[in-house]
Amino acid sequence: MNVVAILLAAGSATRFGSDKLLHALPHEVPIAIQAARQLRAVFAEGVFAVIRPGAQELAGLLKKEGCKVLECENAAEGMGASLACAVRAVHAASAAGPADAYLIALGDMPFIRASTIAAVRDALAAGAPLVAPYFRARRGHPVGLAAKFRRELEALKRDEGARKIIAANQESLLKIPVGDPGVIRDIDTPGDLAPPIVV
């Protein structure tokens, strides 16, 4: 099956105070680039990365990581708009033919393990229509959706993301329990970069 990875990296980072996607982690790798590397460790054929207009520095760094960069003109409307833009672009540009499923990751979640990403991908490849990792009963990212949800993804607007689709199809959701706290750790403010306290 042709499972396509999408990295949403078009946010405005208003709560962070600066461009969080370019903010360097302790090992000097920007947040979005670390997220892209984790995806690229699993998807050797490349990752579709969605950016906002004018994010040329981020675009250049993502291209160096082997990502296919998509500029979404209406990214300012929110995550849903960016995701819809990405799915339309993937459908138009996939050299491997139409996508059978989409794995959707967020550019501000750099701590997800490659093994978790692979588990979601493998579940999609095995035919699961909806997939999400769960850490201590909390749903996390990345999420996976079969191509049968393509029209609904393309119709997303504003900041609704895939949550609406998952909520409406709970009976089809495959929950993968993982021991990976990175699946629920997104970076919204500088304080989120502090090591989490796991009890």
Side-chain angles (χ1 to χ4, degrees):
M1 289 183 67
N2 180 23
V3 180
V4 174
I6 295 172
L7 179 67
L8 298 180
S12 59
T14 52
R15 284 190 285 169
F16 196 83
S18 61
D19 192 339
K20 68 177 176 182
L21 297 177
L22 291 174
H23 184 85
L25 294 166
H27 62 310
E28 299 303 319
V29 176
I31 288 172
I33 303 309
Q34 181 63 34
R37 286 182 180 178
Q38 296 301 89
L39 283 175
R40 289 283 287 125
V42 177
F43 288 87
E45 296 302 313
V47 170
F48 286 86
V50 188
I51 64 168
R52 63 186 182 278
Q56 295 307 310
E57 182 179 356
L58 179 59
L61 291 172
L62 288 167
K63 287 177 181 177
K64 286 181 180 179
E65 297 297 325
C67 295
K68 302 175 181 73
V69 176
L70 310 170
E71 187 174 292
C72 181
E73 292 184 2
N74 60 334
E77 295 177 16
M79 184 189 301
S82 295
L83 180 51
C85 179
V87 172
R88 286 192 293 267
V90 166
H91 180 71
S94 180
D100 295 305
Y102 312 95
L103 182 144
I104 301 161
L106 305 183
D108 63 355
M109 297 188 72
F111 303 113
I112 300 172
R113 298 170 188 166
S115 59
T116 297
I117 296 168
V120 174
R121 178 205 59 192
D122 293 347
L124 288 169
L130 285 171
V131 187
Y134 275 70
F135 178 74
R136 298 184 178 179
R138 289 181 59 188
R139 182 170 66 80
H141 286 85
V143 296
L145 297 92
K148 75 173 188 175
F149 296 106
R150 176 188 152 210
R151 296 298 184 190
E152 292 170 73
L153 288 167
E154 291 180 340
L156 291 175
K157 297 178 182 178
R158 296 181 290 277
D159 203 36
E160 54 194 354
R163 182 181 303 176
K164 176 181 176 182
I165 298 172
I166 293 173
N169 296 275
Q170 281 290 315
E171 73 285 351
S172 300
L173 177 63
L174 175 62
K175 301 178 180 181
I176 301 179
V178 296
D180 179 3
V183 303
I184 58 171
R185 188 181 175 196
D186 59 340
I187 308 299
D188 288 325
T189 68
D192 294 330
L193 291 168
I197 299 174
V198 179
V199 296

